Amino acid sequence: MPERGPVGVVITAKGESPQRLARLLDAVTAQSIDRPIEVVIAHPPEETVVTPEPRGPIESVRLVDNPGGGRSTGLNLAIEASTAEVLCRLDARTVPPPDYLARCVARLEADP
């Protein structure tokens, strides 16, 4: 079976506190998935977002400037910056359950 590439997680973050983003990334790190995870965070360039170090299944974290901070624009910019074949959108204010990404990928694989 060929090696499967990373699952991309795209996030928009406008006015989000570092604690909220850290909580979300902790939840992504806790995902029970057998693939690496690539995280792309789109944020307004005037806001400071600290790039967290990759850990656990997260193999990379990338920040993308999102001038104006619009959600749709930010998601499109994050998607363009991602190299993953499979993408999951997460809201910066959510804390997904540990099986969230695995369930999303399984659903897509079951019915592409």
Side-chain angles (χ1 to χ4, degrees):
M1 176 178 226
E3 185 176 321
R4 299 182 303 166
V7 172
V9 173
V10 293
I11 302 163
T12 60
K14 179 180 178 184
E16 301 297 344
S17 70
Q19 295 82 5
R20 183 169 280 153
L21 287 174
R23 184 181 67 202
L24 171 58
L25 291 171
D26 286 345
V28 172
T29 299
Q31 292 296 299
S32 58
I33 190 163
D34 62 351
R35 305 168 68 150
I37 299 171
E38 170 194 77
V39 176
V40 182
I41 302 170
H43 68 95
E46 63 275 5
E47 293 183 11
T48 301
V49 176
V50 176
T51 308
E53 291 295 319
R55 57 191 163 100
I58 299 176
E59 74 173 14
S60 67
V61 179
R62 193 168 321 144
L63 300 180
V64 177
D65 282 345
N66 178 18
R71 185 175 299 127
S72 296
T73 300
L75 288 172
N76 286 333
L77 290 167
I79 289 166
E80 287 175 14
S82 177
T83 62
E85 199 171 295
V86 176
L87 296 173
C88 293
R89 180 217 192 272
L90 287 177
D91 186 274
R93 296 176 180 221
T94 61
V95 179
D99 65 340
Y100 181 77
L101 292 181
R103 285 187 296 119
C104 290
V105 170
R107 177 68 178 111
L108 288 170
E109 289 175 344
D111 185 13

